[in-house]
Amino acid sequence: MRKKIVAGNWKMNMDYTAGVSLFSEVINMVKDEVRGEQEVVVCPPFVHLHSLSQLASQHAKISIGAQNCHQAESGAYTGEVSASMILSVGAEYVILGHSERRQYFGETNELLAKKTDIAIRTGLKPIFCIGETLEERNNKVHFDVIRKQLAEGVFHLTAEDFAKVVLAYEPVWAIGTGVTASPEQAQEVHAFIRKEVEGRYGDALAANTTILYGGSCNPKNAPELFSQADIDGGLIGGASLKSRDFTDIAKVFNQ
Ligand code: PEP
């Protein structure tokens, strides 16, 4: 059975004190209230990775991820952070291809394929984001866009490596806007993504691939979204900055 995951993307929010305080609240709430097989992942800014990984190390349910990594192993890339540095401070995941990275930092599918390679080679699990803009959806090319993002970003991987990837469908028009894809819209795209994975890697691997939904997910809309057949959890932005909301979203999978 594929893994259910609720992952929080803090983006560029929370200074050190606020971050430790928020994460301590999340740990306590998750410990007391989250019951089931779901995994909770928190992706803070780089500077918090080490401290939060240490705090998380006592809690089997909670893992830490970074929000990006550089595509090279090491070297003269001032200001950048490598996959091995991220791994060395205790993180397990790395978000790659978030639409904000694509939009503001010019990250292309080609570059993201390299980042995916180094992340996997290093031992990190990529949370690989895909999704269309509003204009692309209005022009009815969203399936083509997603097919290309998959083909160029991750489908070069061997089946063994692809099995380490978590996919996240994030319609750009729903990120940070308060507008959520309807459960039907999200399910339609998730089913399409799983079919694409099946076409490339076969049905067993497709059935085991975790596909998260991201885009203005909150405790109110999460139950219906997560009840869709092909939605295996969420990548949560704004609501991950509130311990109560984030925990309530994670609790949707409680057994
Ligand atoms: C995100 O940026 O990954 C995201 C889903 O943000 P929000 O939940 O705030 O829409």
Side-chain angles (χ1 to χ4, degrees), residues 9 11 98 100 170 174-177 214-217 235-239:
N9 173 12
K11 309 191 182 186
H98 191 281
E100 288 152 16
E170 298 210 305
I175 295 178
T177 58
S216 299
C217 205
L235 181 54
I236 319 296

Side-chain angles (χ1 to χ4, degrees), residues 20 24 28 36 74 80 111 133 142 233 252:
V20 169
S24 303
N28 287 330
S74 62
E80 291 293 324
L111 174 71
T133 62
H142 47 298
V252 170

Side-chain angles (χ1 to χ4, degrees), residues 4-200:
K4 308 291 185 199
I5 297 175
V6 173
N9 173 12
W10 287 7
K11 309 191 182 186
M12 198 174 74
N13 292 298
M14 297 286 144
D15 65 16
Y16 182 72
T17 311
V20 169
S21 158
L22 170 63
F23 191 62
S24 303
E25 285 173 22
V26 169
I27 287 181
N28 287 330
M29 289 184 186
V30 168
K31 189 159 54 79
D32 292 344
E33 302 174 33
V34 173
R35 316 238 167 281
E37 299 299 311
Q38 69 273 49
E39 184 173 349
V40 176
V41 182
V42 171
C43 303
F46 286 131
V47 292
H48 302 339
L49 286 174
H50 183 242
S51 311
L52 300 202
S53 294
Q54 290 200 319
L55 289 171
S57 61
Q58 317 294 334
H59 304 277
K61 271 205 160 311
I62 306 181
S63 311
I64 298 294
Q67 299 171 17
N68 178 35
C69 71
H70 194 267
Q71 66 274 19
E73 265 170 37
S74 62
Y77 301 102
T78 302
E80 291 293 324
V81 175
S82 73
S84 63
M85 292 170 188
I86 293 166
L87 188 79
S88 73
V89 293
E92 263 182 64
Y93 289 89
V94 60
I95 298 173
L96 293 176
H98 191 281
S99 63
E100 288 152 16
R101 301 285 325 165
R102 292 176 188 263
Q103 186 183 346
Y104 303 132
F105 303 94
E107 296 199 354
T108 60
N109 292 333
E110 191 190 359
L111 174 71
L112 292 166
K114 291 185 186 146
K115 291 193 176 202
T116 306
D117 286 341
I118 190 110
I120 290 177
R121 200 159 69 233
T122 305
L124 291 172
K125 297 175 223 166
I127 299 175
F128 191 85
C129 303
I130 52 183
E132 80 283 2
T133 62
L134 185 58
E135 193 185 358
E136 289 161 345
R137 177 162 278 261
N138 288 340
N139 290 334
K140 301 195 174 22
V141 294
H142 47 298
F143 291 120
D144 298 333
V145 168
I146 290 165
R147 180 181 284 125
K148 192 167 153 67
Q149 289 171 334
L150 286 168
E152 296 179 358
V154 283
F155 280 0
H156 63 288
L157 296 171
T158 62
E160 192 189 340
D161 283 346
F162 183 80
K164 297 164 190 153
V165 174
V166 172
L167 295 175
Y169 168 56
E170 298 210 305
V172 179
W173 46 273
I175 295 178
T177 58
V179 178
T180 317
S182 69
E184 296 73 26
Q185 281 174 321
Q187 166 57 26
E188 182 187 31
V189 178
H190 279 238
F192 170 80
I193 293 167
R194 202 174 302 286
K195 263 264 162 279
E196 290 292 300
V197 174
E198 189 184 319
R200 169 66 180 89

